[in-house]
Amino acid sequence: MFQFIKPSATHLLSILLPLGVSILLFSVVVMTFDLAKKRVSSGQEQDIEDLVSFAASAVEQLWIEPRNHAIIALAQSETLHRRLQGKATFEDLAREWEEIQRSLQGCYFIYYGLEDGSIEHFPPDPLPPGYDPRTRPWYRTGISATRTPAWTQPYAEIITSEQVVSTVMPISSSNAPAGVISMDITLADLEEIISGIVLPQGGVMYLKDTGDQAFITSTTSPEDAPLADSIPARSDRTLVSCSDPLSNGWQICVLVPRSALAQ
């Protein structure tokens, strides 16, 4: 037969005290780990914010500013205004444009369109029959610009169908509006800047235009992180950080799964 021996209080304490201490220690470890995890995640979030600021500064200084300076110089060109007054040949203007195109990587076409629908451009590739510059995105953007230089949304260039953006300036003759001068710019250099930034696993960097549409992404394959119509909102599962608007209204945004931060 077995006899039940009632444990003494001292005996119970000897059993329960180590158990309680273990539970307490485990709780402390869990709380400490959770706090450390939150601190690490918070630090990671700050790193992402800093990365967004860095990328925005790079795009502004290395890509946007040189093209802004170029289009201002083109709009103020003495040769251009002499051409508008019939005092210079297009060959004179084309030589000047060729030099700018050669020195500014990614510049595709330089041209101006006037209010009467005439256009001169370099390189002088044939335009489609019936081409009217006044119907094109660059002309509409430039002629109605409230601040300059102005930038178009990305669009397909009409001769080659290549995806471009244009930086534009209104031009005047005898102090009256005369038309718009524009410079088409390919996106290859911009894509190189964005794709060269390393993000946590599953992260993606977007460049979005003034219409809040993402048009460049750092991912190289659709299955990694497909280009969305717009940037998702920040949530418990996803960290989203966007820069202040750049000088042309664009924004850099980074999307990172919070699980990647925890890892």
Side-chain angles (χ1 to χ4, degrees):
M1 290 182 62
F2 293 98
Q3 287 185 331
F4 176 75
I5 300 175
K6 183 179 180 180
S8 66
T10 304
H11 184 63
L12 282 174
L13 280 175
S14 67
I15 295 173
L16 295 177
L17 189 58
L19 180 60
V21 171
S22 297
I23 292 173
L24 179 61
L25 287 174
F26 178 74
S27 299
V28 170
V29 169
V30 170
M31 290 172 61
T32 304
F33 177 77
D34 188 56
L35 181 60
K37 180 179 174 182
K38 288 179 179 178
R39 286 181 176 175
V40 169
S41 294
S42 177
Q44 290 274 33
E45 289 191 23
Q46 184 59 54
D47 288 345
I48 295 297
E49 301 275 350
D50 293 342
L51 183 63
V52 168
S53 297
F54 166 77
S57 178
V59 170
E60 181 70 54
Q61 295 179 29
L62 300 177
W63 205 86
I64 295 175
E65 284 185 6
R67 288 151 181 83
N68 280 343
H69 293 323
I71 196 65
I72 291 171
L74 288 167
Q76 297 174 348
S77 163
E78 180 181 343
T79 307
L80 170 64
H81 288 277
R82 289 178 60 241
R83 174 63 182 158
L84 295 178
Q85 297 164 7
K87 299 177 181 178
T89 66
F90 179 69
E91 286 70 24
D92 297 330
L93 189 57
R95 279 193 294 271
E96 188 174 281
W97 287 358
E98 183 178 16
E99 186 60 34
I100 290 177
Q101 189 193 51
R102 186 184 302 115
S103 62
L104 191 64
Q105 190 173 5
C107 178
Y108 206 53
F109 284 100
I110 300 174
Y111 45 83
Y112 68 81
L114 302 181
E115 287 191 323
D116 62 5
S118 59
I119 182 173
E120 290 186 313
H121 59 100
F122 181 87
D125 297 332
L127 291 170
Y131 178 87
D132 187 341
R134 296 168 296 185
T135 66
R136 298 297 292 161
W138 58 270
Y139 189 96
R140 295 196 300 267
T141 298
I143 207 67
S144 60
T146 55
R147 65 176 185 175
T148 54
W151 289 71
T152 67
Q153 310 285 70
Y155 69 97
E157 195 280 320
I158 201 165
I159 296 176
T160 64
S161 297
E162 179 160 355
Q163 194 78 358
V164 298
V165 291
S166 296
T167 176
V168 299
M169 287 275 290
I171 51 176
S172 59
S173 179
S174 303
N175 297 321
V180 175
I181 186 163
S182 178
M183 185 170 60
D184 286 353
I185 307 158
T186 62
L187 301 175
D189 289 349
L190 194 54
E191 291 170 344
E192 188 173 340
I193 292 174
I194 299 299
S195 64
I197 296 175
V198 179
L199 295 170
Q201 185 176 7
V204 59
M205 180 173 286
Y206 293 101
L207 188 61
K208 66 176 184 177
D209 60 26
T210 53
D212 204 35
Q213 298 297 302
F215 67 97
I216 287 183
T217 175
S218 61
T219 55
T220 55
S221 58
E223 62 271 16
D224 289 338
L227 184 61
D229 291 335
S230 60
I231 306 301
R234 182 186 289 231
S235 68
D236 292 340
R237 298 180 59 186
T238 305
L239 170 64
V240 178
S241 177
C242 292
S243 70
D244 292 332
L246 303 175
S247 63
N248 62 359
W250 295 350
Q251 283 183 282
I252 299 283
C253 292
V254 167
L255 183 156
V256 178
R258 291 189 185 274
S259 58
L261 299 182
Q263 292 167 6

